[in-house]
Amino acid sequence: MTAEPEPRRHTGRRRNPAVRQAILDHAADLLAAHNYSAVPIDAIAQAAGVSKHTIYRWWPSKGAVLLEAMVERARRETPGLDTGVFADDLEAFVAATFRTAELVGGLLRGIMAEAQRDPVAAEGMRQFAGGRRDELLALLARGLEQGEVPAGTDLDLLVDQIYGLMWYRLLMGHAPLGDDVAARLVRSLIDPR
């Protein structure tokens, strides 16, 4: 019988979850306040009190760290809802999504720009958008089951309309997002009279 191998000794500093979270928080804060190009890795490292090397140990690129920061911020700011009243839940979800998008607009625009150049950021953006789509689709499907959304409604198209308006306003900057816009959009989509 062979003896179990000895566990390998750790040869470097262990990753600290608090440091990781500080990096993500500072990255999101910096990008929300500045244009994407004005937030180099050096600035993130300095704000978080770490070295660039620490950041690159966890993320392969600036786009990757900023994308994860965006995902974390969006999850915190737009939690799932289920109060039992579909229209209220949908309006609250869309309003929270729009508020968060305005709050981190620089981050979203920067990540979208980075996703055009960086395949890691592009894949991360697809995963992020896919997760947000799935959350909204689940909410709309609940409305369909409850009879709050008309039978035969194309739920994918509704999702595209909601996120399409958000991205259009964020990227073009022609009009703000807000609770009133969310309320009007939801009413126009689920009760188009």
Side-chain angles (χ1 to χ4, degrees):
M1 180 172 193
T2 60
E4 288 292 317
E6 289 285 323
R8 186 170 166 240
R9 292 178 59 129
H10 188 65
T11 56
R13 291 183 69 189
R14 294 192 188 278
R15 293 183 180 174
N16 181 335
V19 170
R20 179 186 165 282
Q21 192 60 54
I23 293 167
L24 292 172
D25 289 343
H26 287 291
D29 290 344
L30 285 167
L31 205 48
H34 303 285
N35 184 309
Y36 177 84
S37 61
V39 183
I41 287 289
D42 291 333
I44 298 168
Q46 182 178 8
V50 299
S51 69
K52 286 188 337 185
H53 180 72
T54 297
I55 293 173
Y56 284 123
R57 258 189 288 156
W58 284 326
W59 296 279
S61 67
K62 172 180 152 178
V65 69
L66 293 174
L67 180 65
E68 189 169 336
M70 180 184 70
V71 169
E72 293 262 330
R73 184 65 54 96
R75 284 191 183 128
R76 262 194 310 226
E77 300 292 329
T78 56
L81 300 166
D82 189 0
T83 65
V85 180
F86 167 72
D88 292 348
D89 289 349
L90 181 59
E91 187 176 324
F93 181 92
V94 174
T97 298
F98 286 4
R99 278 192 306 273
T100 301
E102 284 212 309
L103 189 69
V104 296
L107 176 62
L108 291 169
R109 285 186 293 275
I111 290 297
M112 185 60 82
E114 185 71 11
Q116 307 311 301
R117 296 184 293 272
D118 178 353
V120 173
E123 179 55 31
M125 182 57 111
R126 276 190 290 280
Q127 289 176 8
F128 169 71
R132 299 299 295 158
R133 275 188 76 79
D134 291 346
E135 287 181 57
L136 185 51
L137 274 170
L139 180 56
L140 291 168
R142 203 169 71 225
L144 190 62
E145 289 169 9
Q146 295 171 356
E148 298 288 331
V149 173
T153 298
D154 184 340
L155 299 184
D156 282 318
L157 185 59
L158 285 181
V159 170
D160 287 345
Q161 289 173 308
I162 292 167
Y163 285 126
L165 181 137
M166 181 196 84
W167 279 106
Y168 184 78
R169 287 188 176 202
L170 269 179
L171 294 174
M172 301 308 292
H174 82 286
L177 294 165
D179 291 1
D180 63 318
V181 174
R184 290 191 336 257
L185 176 62
V186 167
R187 280 193 303 274
S188 75
L189 294 174
I190 64 173
D191 188 20
R193 293 181 236 201

